[in-house]
């Protein structure tokens, strides 16, 4: 099997899964219970959270666990909207967001909020001038992803934050950094709020977190009894949290070294794909090497993906969460409908090998040539 | 150019005969505080120099902010030359990065063979700065930036940035004392103030399982962890107080419960203190705060021990204590809501003017000497270390 869809999800690392299993087996107490088993679980929970806080250089109480990035985006964007609606009803998002962000925005529009979409330049960088123009006194939130999921476009979060705070110091800055964590260095102090997911960093599915600077209030969207914060009530999923903490520690190790390896593989694919006249490589200088987006133009992406299934080679369409639709990012950067409709996404990780890429390129060549004959 | 920290000793300079003992102790404490960092330390003429890479020095500064006995830390720069052109160039390079309007240059020459007087060198270097940096002025009396230049045989030192230290005496110079650590707001502050005057602390905590919880004990250990960096680690003696407390509850009239309980705690503390060769007991009592802390109560309770009992916060208002607790960083932990020995079995109307005669009579109702012996024999001692253990949990 050759897996090249790491941006959709990653397999769980063996050690991470072991931690999950051991935590499930040996820490049966509810971390909220008073008895010794509860205390033991609470101690492990606290250690896991402490480790995350140290890895990100933030306070422990600034970490809120969620089921993943979609839940995190919901809790943050709706939570800010409802908590600060007395300040204003305006929210700005980019055109490069994960689809979940747009669905939340549609919902908020029904609730009376106004949503603006900030432009980006032809290389996918946020248009700073447009951002400045769009920030108004009633703007309560700007949400711009740290790394776009379709083309891997990376945004300078620190600069964006400075621009936002200069225009309106009361506007909060949220970034969905799900596709950035474990790939590029991230400083959480460059944002006010962030969404992170566990299953993109070789952790289990069903766990993620919010970073929320301490002074910010979110209106909870889930209500229940809680010992920690009012935002994530219920019994803490200790095995998931432990596994997430461990996955994060491993993911943040040796970022440079991993990126170099991945860049070499990315270059290799690009060099080969450039030989095909019709295929367009959707890559700018802001794309990170972990995510490579191609427009097949003359071939339907689904057809190629199914063809590669036969070789047990797995690549993605624009994002797993919106398969078969137009790629927002490719549309936002290139403005060509056909180009945006025919994208595939190859995502590489540090465990991808040279051999896997060679095999992929060979299979790609065979299938592409075969399919080209039947296309028009 | 190398960056370095220069440590100045504070109140120590008032000690005449003992100064060397004080300084040795401080130097030892400083070394302990930074022993996990890659640094070079050097002692010279009543000061200490710490050298190393920038990142390590920054960590050292944070660690040294918790060492009592340091009056002031100066951030300095050193060049391995005493030649005037080198000094001029370095000075201008350094000050270019600084924001100031008025300044003054002071020169010291430990190498008295160096040509020119200190004053003449200062004047000359002041002139160089005025020429090189626009819009700066010399201010002799209250300069925004006081630049000190020390010309020595081995090179030249520049310093102008000062970071205040904690002051006080080096921990240990006064010997040891035992802190009665309850988990409340007052006792950690009392401990901190005692450390400040050079007392090396151990702590005693009374637990009463199952009436008190593991969480309560963990809270006390957490408080000890916050005090540990100031004290070069801290030993916590944990006394199981259940039997004594139950015996008191079953046999002693309600209004004397707390008085007798405190007398037992004092007795136990005195024994631990004796065993560890300590000189004093320290606690967080504050005059009149609760029934057991009225002057009459203090007298009736204190009567059972012969060693001094120091109460550093005795004359502070509660709000003053809270302010200190916030500064030290113990407040947030102290207010966690767990029962401790002093909050269980509380009578509705405790006596506020207890009589010693009555105390003695009531105490005859329980075999307290045996119970105390047993409690001390079964104590658990936990060493709470100042340095963060860098061990990763096997599951993490």
């Amino acid at each position: 099997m050759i897996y090249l869809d790491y941006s959709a999800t990653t397999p769980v690392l063996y050690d991470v899964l072991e931690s999950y299993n051991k935590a499930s087996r040996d820490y049966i107490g509810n971390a909220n219970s008073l008895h010794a088993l509860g205390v033991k679980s609470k101690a492990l929970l606290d250690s896991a959270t402490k480790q995350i806080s140290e890895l990100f250089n933030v306070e422990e109480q600034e970490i809120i666990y969620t089921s993943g990035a979609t839940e995190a985006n919901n809790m943050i964007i709706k939570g800010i909207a409802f908590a600060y609606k007395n300040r204003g009803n305006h929210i700005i998002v980019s055109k490069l967001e994960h689809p979940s962000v747009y669905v939340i925005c549609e919902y908020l529009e029904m609730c009376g909020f106004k949503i603006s979409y900030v432009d980006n330049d032809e290389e996918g960088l946020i248009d700073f001038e447009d951002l400045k123009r769009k920030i108004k006194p009633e703007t309560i939130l700007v949400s711009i992803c740290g790394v776009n999921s379709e083309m891997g476009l990376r945004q300078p979060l620190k600069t964006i934050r400075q621009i936002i705070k200069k225009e309106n110091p009361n506007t909060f800055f949220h970034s969905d950094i799900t596709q950035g964590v474990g790939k590029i260095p991230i400083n959480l102090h460059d944002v006010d709020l962030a969404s992170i997911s566990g299953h993109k960093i070789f952790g289990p599915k069903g766990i993620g977190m919010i970073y929320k600077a301490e002074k910010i209030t979110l209106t909870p969207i889930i209500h229940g009894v809680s010992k920690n914060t009012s935002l994530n009530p219920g019994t803490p999923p200790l095995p998931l949290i432990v596994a997430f903490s461990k996955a994060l520690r491993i993911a943040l190790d040796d970022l440079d070294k991993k990126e170099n390896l991945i860049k070499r593989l990315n270059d290799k694919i690009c060099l080969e794909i450039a030989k095909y006249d019709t295929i367009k490589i959707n890559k700018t200088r802001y794309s990170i090497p972990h995510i490579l987006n191609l427009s097949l133009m003359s071939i339907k992406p689904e057809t190629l993906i199914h063809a590669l299934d036969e070789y047990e080679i797995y690549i993605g369409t624009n994002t797993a969460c919106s398969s078969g639709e137009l790629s927002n990012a490719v549309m936002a950067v290139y403005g060509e409908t056909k180009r945006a409709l025919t994208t595939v996404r190859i995502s590489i990780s540090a465990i991808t090998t040279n051999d896997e890429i060679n095999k992929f390129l060979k299979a790609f060549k065979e299938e592409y040539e075969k399919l080209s004959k039947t296309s028009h | 150019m190398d960056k370095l920290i220069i440590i100045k000793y504070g109140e120590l300079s008032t000690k005449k005969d003992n100064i060397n003992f004080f300084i040795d102790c401080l130097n030892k404490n400083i070394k302990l505080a930074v022993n996990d960092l890659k640094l070079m330390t050097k002692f010279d003429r009543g000061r200490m120099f710490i050298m190393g890479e920038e990142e390590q020095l920054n960590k050292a500064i944070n660690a040294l902010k918790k060492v009592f006995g340091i009056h002031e830390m100066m951030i300095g720069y050193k060049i391995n030359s005493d030649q005037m052109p080198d000094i001029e160039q370095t000075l201008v390079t350094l000050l270019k990065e600084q924001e100031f309007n008025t300044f003054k240059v002071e020169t010291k020459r430990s190498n008295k063979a160096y040509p020119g007087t200190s004053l003449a060198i200062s004047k000359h270097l002041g002139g160089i700065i005025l020429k090189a940096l626009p819009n700066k002025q010399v201010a002799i009396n209250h300069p925004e930036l006081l630049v000190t230049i020390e010309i020595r045989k081995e090179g030249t030192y520049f310093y102008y940035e000062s970071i205040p230290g904690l002051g006080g005496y080096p921990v240990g110079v006064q010997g040891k004392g035992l802190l009665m650590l309850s988990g409340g707001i007052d006792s950690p502050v009392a401990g901190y103030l005692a450390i400040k005057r050079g007392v090396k602390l151990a702590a005693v905590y009374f637990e009463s399982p199952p009436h008190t919880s593991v969480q309560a004990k963990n809270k006390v250990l957490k408080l000890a962890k916050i005090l540990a960096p100031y004290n070069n680690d801290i030993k916590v003696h944990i006394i199981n107080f259940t039997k004594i407390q139950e015996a008191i509850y079953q046999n002693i009239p309600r209004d004397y419960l707390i008085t007798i309980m405190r007398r037992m705690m004092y007795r136990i503390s005195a024994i631990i203190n004796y065993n560890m060769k300590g000189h004093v007991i320290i606690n967080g009592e504050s005059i009149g705060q609760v029934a057991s802390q009225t002057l009459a109560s203090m007298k009736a309770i204190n009567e059972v021990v012969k060693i001094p009992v120091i109460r550093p916060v005795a004359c502070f208002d509660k709000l003053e204590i809270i302010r200190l607790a916030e500064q030290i960083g113990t407040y947030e932990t102290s207010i966690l809501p767990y029962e401790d020995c002093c909050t269980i079995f509380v009578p509705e109307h405790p006596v506020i003017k207890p009589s010693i005669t009555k105390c003695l009579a009531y105490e005859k109702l329980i075999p307290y000497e045996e119970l105390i012996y047993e409690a001390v024999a079964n104590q658990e001692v936990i060493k709470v270390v100042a340095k963060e253990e860098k061990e990763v949990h096997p599951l993490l």
Side-chain angles (χ1 to χ4, degrees), chain B residues 33-268:
Chain B
V34 299
N35 66 2
D36 54 337
L37 302 173
K38 287 195 197 91
L39 297 165
M40 266 184 24
T41 47
K42 201 174 91 182
F43 308 99
D44 187 54
R45 294 163 65 91
R47 286 178 308 177
M48 183 172 185
F49 294 84
I50 299 181
M51 285 147 287
E53 283 179 17
E54 173 116 26
E55 188 209 347
Q56 297 284 307
L57 285 178
N58 289 338
K59 283 185 183 166
I61 290 168
N62 280 332
L64 294 173
K65 281 181 185 165
K66 292 189 174 176
V67 175
F68 283 114
I70 295 177
H71 173 67
E72 191 182 17
M73 292 179 267
M74 303 290 302
I75 310 292
Y77 300 86
K78 185 198 172 195
I79 52 168
N80 296 320
S81 157
D82 62 356
Q83 296 303 305
M84 193 45 79
D86 293 333
I87 296 174
E88 289 169 4
Q89 197 195 350
T90 311
L91 187 62
V92 171
T93 313
L94 284 171
L95 294 193
K96 241 187 223 164
E97 303 297 316
Q98 296 299 312
E99 275 183 32
F100 65 96
N101 294 314
T102 58
F103 74 98
K104 177 184 174 183
V105 178
E106 268 182 15
T107 310
K108 292 175 187 167
R109 298 167 305 141
S110 67
N111 175 11
K112 296 291 178 203
Y114 196 83
T117 64
S118 293
L119 194 65
I121 298 172
S122 296
K123 271 188 181 164
H124 169 72
L125 290 172
I128 295 285
I129 296 172
L130 287 175
K131 222 183 277 172
L133 305 172
N135 305 326
K136 307 293 179 197
Q137 280 181 344
V138 175
I140 298 299
N141 289 328
H142 300 288
E144 287 173 26
L145 197 71
L146 175 63
V147 190
T148 308
I149 292 160
E150 256 185 75
I151 305 170
R152 294 170 169 239
K153 277 196 184 116
E154 75 271 16
T156 310
Y157 295 85
F158 303 80
Y159 44 91
Y160 45 83
E161 268 175 82
S162 147
I163 298 167
L166 277 183
Y169 290 150
V171 59
V173 290
Q174 293 291 343
K176 291 194 265 187
L178 182 70
L179 171 69
M180 299 169 75
L181 188 58
S182 69
I185 297 167
D186 305 343
S187 54
V189 174
Y192 174 88
L193 293 172
I195 302 171
K196 180 174 180 173
R197 298 307 290 174
V199 183
K200 167 93 180 175
L201 288 188
V204 57
Y205 167 65
F206 297 89
E207 64 169 355
S208 249
H211 310 296
T212 63
S213 62
V214 184
Q215 283 97 327
K217 176 175 153 185
N218 288 342
K219 168 182 163 182
V220 167
L221 292 174
K222 208 170 162 187
L223 288 171
K225 186 96 190 163
I226 299 171
L227 292 180
Y230 301 100
N231 195 57
N232 297 335
D233 305 343
I234 185 164
K235 268 188 194 159
V236 183
H237 299 256
I238 294 164
I239 297 288
N240 187 320
F241 201 57
T242 311
K243 274 192 188 169
I244 299 173
Q245 208 161 5
E246 285 175 353
I248 295 171
Y249 188 68
Q250 282 153 13
N251 296 293
I252 308 281
R254 288 293 137 93
D255 54 342
Y256 271 73
L257 282 184
I258 299 285
T259 316
I260 304 292
M261 184 188 82
R262 294 295 291 174
R263 282 166 62 98
M264 296 301 161
M265 288 178 170
Y266 269 54
R267 286 185 174 108
I268 292 173

Side-chain angles (χ1 to χ4, degrees), chain A residues 297-369:
Chain A
M297 304 306 282
S298 58
I299 295 174
K300 270 184 160 176
E302 299 92 290
T303 319
L304 180 75
I305 283 165
H306 295 318
L308 289 174
D309 272 350
E310 295 299 314
Y311 298 78
E312 295 194 341
I313 294 174
Y314 306 103
I315 64 169
T317 46
N318 40 40
T319 84
C321 297
S322 67
S323 300
E325 287 173 26
L326 189 108
S327 161
N328 287 322
V330 174
M331 195 64 194
V333 173
Y334 298 105
E336 300 167 32
T337 313
K338 184 150 194 197
R339 192 165 179 171
L341 271 172
T342 59
T343 60
V344 291
R345 181 183 65 178
I346 299 150
S347 40
I348 313 165
S349 84
I351 59 171
T352 306
T353 62
N354 217 4
D355 186 46
E356 285 182 323
I357 296 300
N358 288 335
K359 283 185 181 146
F360 158 70
L361 287 170
K362 186 161 170 276
F364 184 89
K365 186 169 196 280
E366 280 170 23
E367 283 309 310
Y368 184 80
E369 280 168 5

Side-chain angles (χ1 to χ4, degrees), chain A residues 262-272 283 289 348:
Chain A
I262 290 163
K263 191 171 180 309
R264 236 175 288 156
L265 298 175
N266 180 304
D267 288 346
K268 187 180 180 121
I269 302 173
C270 287
L271 206 64
E272 199 58 36
K283 182 178 178 178
I348 313 165

Side-chain angles (χ1 to χ4, degrees), chain A residues 227-239:
Chain A
K227 283 233 163 170
N228 303 314
T229 82
S230 55
L231 291 164
N232 55 346
T235 304
L238 182 63

